Structures are given as structure tokens and as C-alpha cells.
Amino acid sequence: MKPLGIGVIGCGVISDIYMKNCAIFPQIELRAVADMRPEAAAAKGAEYGVPAVTVDELLKREDVDIILNLTIPKAHVEVGLMALDAGKHLYAEKPLAGSVADGRRLLQAARAKGLRVGSAPDTFLGGSHQTARNLLDTGRIGRPTSGTAVMMVAGHERWHPNPDFYYAGEGAGPLMDMGPYYITAMVNLLGPVSRVVGLAAKGRDRRVIATGPRAGQEIPVETPTHVTGVMEFASGALVQIVTSFDVKAHRHTPLELYGTDGAMLIPDPNHFDGQVMLHDADWQAQPMRHAHGDGNYRGLGLADMAEAIATGRDHRASGALALHALDVIESLLRAAGTGRAETLTTSCDRPAPLPMGTAQGQIETMEMAQ
């Protein structure tokens, strides 16, 4: 297939891996970059050999088919609607939007124009998580009954030079930042969530930046920094979830899934690699038979969407999946405020699995093998 043109809006920290990986996947080709800071766009354009232009100029380019929105979460909807209004397909970093209502606006706007919306995370398409999906689908742990999803760190101010937005109200906090990885990974395995319960707390009111030119500067905390709850899946499985910026050390594994005949330990869903451990009679490391399991392949979901546009099939890292993950997050936070169980208002299908034994980058070959 002829590659679809990618235009990037937002040239911050996360943009490097996407721009680098555009060269890995034959389904996509980086065409131009833009940022509200012209110097940031100019630097990335020079580094990756593409034009650095204004946002308006990028949206008017005929060689750009998909806008890759890498802006901060608060700008996701505004930029996304601009892209759709310009007739471009949209793929966004997570979360899809700051609220379910805004996420619905994006999907409704896309449907009205016959355009696609996709969203990170796409790490569930990585080798380790596809290995876990295959083990589950082939019945290796029996019927899934329960599990855990744990992401607890001391806070992003330790490594990020400008961590303000992680703590600044709507669209911030550990659940909104990291929850999409853990929730999406579990939806990939178990299907949609039906209801949740939750509690939340704020460890402290201010944080100190530890690195970069602003090291030593204090920033305010305007959102809960420790959120815990239980997700009840439509299948009946119950999964405990904890996300925190208040924990200096722990020994929990990222994801665990328990079934009637066994259990699985599943690697960090913020990554594409890692070792899946299966227990039926004893714990055994499982061989990885899927591609994209030995590095950082952010952009795999974007490439899959590009191919899906060309071939007319559904894409895996879909707007519906991202909206459902956002609904889980919003419902957990709402439950933490009300003290009551919250029923979700969205649902989604489990994304199609990727077939085994395929070379990296060759999504088209994988699809033809199905």
C-alpha cells in the first residue's frame, strides 16, 4: 500500500519516538511538524528532515492524511476538532480527551465527516501483551475471574523538566496519566468494563521539580495523586486497580490475571516487551511469538490505523476503545467522590488480536495471515 502522510502537532518529549518510528512502518510517512513554539517545531523538523510549519499550514497540506496529536491533554480536543474539521483523520496521544463528554464530541465529529479517530496507548499490540492475549484466548488459565493492575511511583517531577500538567486539575493525576495503559491492557484481555467503585486521596499539596532548568521549583497539586478501585467487567471478572504518584517503593507486579485453571503475570503495559509468566502447575516463562516485543514501538497503533483506512477494516487502537478507557477513569474518579458504584455509559469490542510469527513493521502481512 502507498503510505499515508503523517503531520505531527506537538513537538514535546513524546514526539521523538513517534517521529523515529515513522521510518519503521511502511504504512506511514512523516510529512511535516508543527508546534505552538516555532523553535520546537524547527528543531524537530531539522532533526527528521521534514518541514516545520504553523498548525494552520499543516492542516492545509494535501500530503497529510492523518494528524498525530501530541499536544498536552488539555489541548487534545481543541486540536483534534481542528484536524477533523480540516478533513484529516486523527490519532492522539492518551488520554483521548479530558472528559467522556469531550471524547464523544471527537468521535461524533469524525463520524459526521467519515473520518477515523485512533488513540494511544498502542502498547497492548506489543509482543508481550499479544502473547498474554493468545494464552488467554487458547484457554491456558481457564475462565478469567479476577486480577490486579498496579502502577505506583513517587511522581513524575523526578524526571520530567516541566511536570506541571501531571498535577494541574482536569486531565491530570496518575489515573488519567497512566491508567489508560493498564485499563486498555485489561480491556484487550477481558473486554469492556460494566461498573466500578473507587477511592482517591492527595498525598501532598506541592511538588518539587528535581531536574532541568526549573530544578528546585515548587508546583501546586490540584488533583488526587493516589486512586484505587475495582473494575467489574461485563464478563464477570473483577480487577483491582491502583495508580499513584505517592509511593516510593513497592513489590507488586504491573498486571496479574487469575482464572479457573491458572494465572498469568503480565509485563508493564507502558512497554512493548517483557516476560509473560504462566502458572498452571508451576510458574513458567512463556516464549514470545509476536513481533514488536523488543523495544519501544509507539506508533504501531497509528500504522495499524493507516492500513485499516487503506483496506477498509477496523483499526485496533480505536477511538471507541480509548473513549471506553476514559469512561472507566472518569467513573472511578466519580465513584471516589460519591462513595457509590458507578455504571459505565460506554462499551467497546475487544480489539482483534495480531497473528503470531510476523516480522516487525509488517502489519499488512499479519492481517493477510488471519
Side-chain angles (χ1 to χ4, degrees):
M1 61 170 278
K2 181 180 178 181
L4 297 191
I6 305 301
V8 174
I9 299 179
C11 296
V13 174
I14 195 65
S15 66
D16 271 310
I17 190 62
Y18 278 99
M19 295 182 193
K20 176 183 175 182
N21 285 350
C22 279
I24 293 177
F25 299 105
Q27 298 85 359
I28 55 178
E29 185 174 281
L30 183 63
R31 299 277 168 78
V33 299
D35 193 284
M36 63 182 295
R37 303 161 299 155
E39 68 279 7
K44 295 302 179 188
E47 183 176 357
Y48 293 96
V50 296
V53 298
T54 67
V55 171
D56 287 342
E57 289 170 340
L58 182 62
L59 294 175
K60 292 175 182 177
R61 289 183 68 102
E62 294 185 358
D63 62 344
V64 170
D65 303 291
I66 303 173
I67 296 298
L68 174 56
N69 183 3
L70 303 180
T71 59
I72 63 173
K74 284 186 177 181
H76 281 184
V77 173
E78 179 184 1
V79 172
L81 290 173
M82 290 170 57
L84 295 169
D85 188 58
K88 310 297 186 184
H89 302 285
L90 173 66
Y91 189 92
E93 244 305 313
K94 53 78 192 167
L96 176 67
S99 68
V100 171
D102 279 344
R104 289 187 195 277
R105 287 174 60 203
L106 280 176
L107 298 192
Q108 289 167 358
R111 281 195 295 270
K113 289 183 170 289
L115 297 168
R116 302 277 189 124
V117 173
S119 178
D122 57 2
T123 45
F124 72 92
L125 297 173
S128 62
H129 287 269
Q130 288 297 304
T131 295
R133 172 69 180 264
N134 181 260
L135 291 168
L136 178 65
D137 288 352
T138 54
R140 296 294 298 276
I141 68 166
R143 178 176 60 85
T145 58
S146 56
T148 59
V150 178
M151 193 297 301
M152 299 191 295
V153 298
H156 289 354
E157 70 276 10
R158 296 171 305 153
W159 60 270
H160 200 294
N162 296 292
D164 310 58
F165 68 92
Y166 290 112
Y167 301 100
E170 183 182 351
L175 184 60
M176 188 67 82
D177 176 44
M178 298 300 293
Y181 295 107
Y182 291 75
I183 294 164
T184 303
M186 280 299 187
V187 172
N188 173 58
L189 294 170
L190 299 172
V193 176
S194 56
R195 64 175 180 164
V196 301
V197 294
L199 290 170
K202 184 168 66 172
R204 53 191 185 274
D205 293 329
R206 304 190 72 79
R207 300 276 175 146
V208 179
I209 300 174
T211 187
R214 298 173 62 198
Q217 181 179 332
E218 288 191 347
I219 58 174
V221 178
E222 302 170 350
T223 191
T225 50
H226 188 99
V227 185
T228 183
V230 178
M231 302 179 289
E232 180 183 42
F233 287 76
S235 65
L238 299 176
V239 175
Q240 302 171 61
I241 183 169
V242 185
T243 62
S244 181
F245 289 161
D246 293 329
V247 177
K248 289 188 175 181
H250 66 87
R251 298 184 68 180
H252 294 281
T253 52
L255 296 171
E256 299 190 7
L257 192 58
Y258 319 123
T260 53
D261 299 326
M264 275 194 293
L265 308 181
I266 304 166
D268 186 346
N270 191 18
H271 299 283
F272 291 78
D273 55 5
Q275 185 71 66
V276 177
M277 300 293 294
L278 176 70
H279 189 290
D280 42 22
D282 196 2
W283 288 113
Q284 297 288 336
Q286 299 301 298
M288 190 184 299
R289 299 190 181 94
H290 291 77
H292 311 103
D294 62 349
N296 187 346
Y297 292 96
R298 278 168 172 78
L300 173 56
L302 172 62
D304 178 70
M305 188 175 87
E307 185 189 289
I309 291 168
T311 61
R313 63 165 172 84
D314 292 336
H315 58 288
R316 293 175 170 90
S318 68
L321 175 60
L323 181 67
H324 186 62
L326 184 59
D327 193 8
V328 175
I329 290 168
E330 194 172 278
S331 297
L332 280 165
L333 292 172
R334 190 165 57 247
T338 64
R340 299 188 300 267
E342 293 284 339
T343 300
L344 272 72
T345 60
T346 67
S347 187
C348 67
D349 296 326
R350 284 205 303 168
L354 293 174
M356 294 186 292
T358 304
Q360 292 170 353
Q362 297 302 312
I363 303 170
E364 185 174 7
T365 303
M366 291 193 230
E367 195 62 30
M368 291 173 62
Q370 289 185 310

